[in-house]
Amino acid sequence: MAALRVAVPVLALLGLCPGPAAPTPLVIWHGMGDSCCNPVSMGFIQKLVEKKIPGIYVLSLKIGSNLIQDMENSFFMNVNDQVREVCSQLAMDPQLKGGYNAMGFSQGGQFLRAVAQRCPSPPMFNLISIGGQHQGRVYGFPRCPGESSHVCDWIRKTLDLGAYTKSVQEHLVQAEYWHDPLKEEDYRKNSIFLADINQERGINETYKKNLMALKKFVMVKFLNDTMVDPPISEWFGFYKSGQAKETIPLQETSLYKEDRLGLQEMDKAGKLVFLGVKGDHLHFSEEWFDKSILPFLQ
């Protein structure tokens, strides 16, 4: 036994014994009107995760060459182009070749889901959507993030005039996940992003297979949300078809019943996690984050 006690340290010194496994990398995608490295939002989250999980590699996605472009692109760059850009970034990052966890905030949640469905390499393990609108949103922007109120005033008017016109769909991010329950046929036919990733025009078996490969799909709903209409979209629910008053949970939607994305099978396998947090959109405490979110990152 003495020889064994000596041999193991020697092997470790020679680099022949594996050390502790490195933490799983984390990819973050910010929401509307934000940027990758805002010190009071994504920059804070990145530092918080790095503090709580020593040695973790965190990539906070930037779409554009600087922070201003990153913020502007969250309003005006075609989402499909953004997803392609992110897939390219992830594929070229050597730190992510073994796989990663993903955490999206607000619209970043559904954008990262598109990454999971369209770009399986490198593999995404856990997807954490914090306030993401997976069935879309509708009826205005009750309030606007940061210093972008003038932008949102223009967006409201544009969406009211023609959310499903080709020019608006191709150049306004929020139109691409605009889901009007009173115009379901227009939405299914003309939505160039959300209707595609939600399998509204047919079944893409690759999308289904790739999403079902996730270990966990965590959806966080803000219980006092005044920015997302309807808030249940954050749990993949939506308005009952043909009206805009009564909402139904994911399990009562045709998407779930027909299992077009594999969500029913994932739910039965315990892969779907529904978390609620008191507060308005993206308002949460560090204590809640530590208790509820960090376990999915380790």
Side-chain angles (χ1 to χ4, degrees):
M1 293 300 294
L4 180 60
R5 286 197 295 269
V6 173
V8 172
V10 169
L11 289 173
L13 287 172
L14 292 174
L16 299 177
C17 276
T24 301
L26 174 65
V27 173
I28 297 174
W29 200 335
H30 63 79
M32 175 180 68
D34 203 355
S35 66
C36 67
C37 313
N38 186 331
V40 298
S41 57
M42 296 302 98
F44 175 79
I45 292 294
Q46 179 169 352
K47 288 184 178 180
L48 179 62
V49 171
E50 290 171 343
K51 176 184 176 183
K52 302 291 184 178
I53 309 177
I56 191 172
Y57 173 69
V58 180
L59 172 64
S60 189
L61 293 165
K62 180 173 67 175
I63 313 299
S65 60
N66 56 57
L67 301 189
I68 297 299
Q69 284 187 4
D70 189 24
M71 184 273 289
E72 291 176 343
N73 285 336
S74 74
F75 292 110
F76 303 119
M77 182 178 176
N78 187 300
V79 180
N80 294 306
D81 292 339
Q82 292 193 53
V83 170
R84 276 190 289 269
E85 163 65 22
V86 166
C87 288
S88 177
Q89 286 188 33
L90 302 185
M92 293 188 296
D93 191 329
Q95 300 266 28
L96 303 177
K97 63 182 180 180
Y100 63 96
N101 292 321
M103 181 163 59
F105 292 82
S106 196
Q107 67 183 27
Q110 61 260 36
F111 297 174
L112 278 170
R113 175 163 65 85
V115 171
Q117 291 174 207
R118 294 175 177 176
C119 307
S121 181
M124 183 187 296
F125 299 138
N126 294 326
L127 171 57
I128 302 165
S129 169
I130 300 181
Q133 303 100 46
H134 292 281
Q135 285 276 22
R137 62 190 299 176
V138 71
Y139 297 139
F141 287 53
R143 58 184 179 82
C144 208
E147 303 299 321
S148 305
S149 59
H150 63 292
V151 176
C152 284
D153 287 340
W154 179 84
I155 290 174
R156 289 186 190 100
K157 294 176 182 177
T158 302
L159 290 170
D160 287 341
L161 289 172
Y164 298 121
T165 62
K166 183 177 179 181
S167 60
V168 173
Q169 280 287 311
E170 291 180 349
H171 298 102
L172 182 57
V173 166
Q174 287 68 40
E176 295 175 48
Y177 57 88
W178 197 251
H179 188 174
D180 189 334
L182 304 182
K183 298 180 180 179
E184 287 284 359
E185 189 58 33
D186 287 343
Y187 158 70
R188 281 191 289 269
K189 182 179 178 181
N190 298 309
S191 170
I192 66 172
F193 174 69
L194 189 67
D196 175 64
I197 65 168
N198 280 4
Q199 307 271 49
E200 300 283 7
R201 291 188 288 264
I203 306 298
N204 182 325
E205 293 294 344
T206 299
Y207 282 5
K208 184 174 180 178
K209 175 184 176 183
N210 290 343
L211 189 65
M212 291 177 64
L214 290 172
K215 294 179 179 178
K216 295 289 184 181
F217 179 10
V218 182
M219 289 170 269
V220 176
K221 174 187 171 187
F222 291 89
L223 302 179
N224 310 105
D225 205 314
T226 63
M227 192 168 179
V228 174
D229 184 0
I232 201 171
S233 180
E234 298 170 5
W235 278 351
F236 237 121
F238 199 59
Y239 287 114
K240 193 173 182 179
S241 182
Q243 49 83 60
K245 292 183 179 180
E246 182 183 354
T247 61
I248 55 175
L250 166 63
Q251 289 78 3
E252 294 180 22
T253 65
S254 61
L255 176 68
Y256 184 92
K257 290 179 178 179
E258 297 168 6
D259 211 17
R260 300 196 305 265
L261 271 177
L263 294 171
Q264 182 184 139
E265 191 168 338
M266 292 176 72
D267 193 17
K268 291 178 179 178
K271 289 188 172 186
L272 300 186
V273 179
F274 301 90
L275 300 179
V277 55
K278 293 181 180 179
D280 205 345
H281 194 63
L282 299 187
H283 289 195
F284 55 86
S285 68
E286 184 175 335
E287 179 182 9
W288 174 84
F289 186 86
D290 289 354
K291 179 181 178 181
S292 302
I293 301 301
L294 280 182
F296 296 103
L297 303 180
Q298 301 187 47

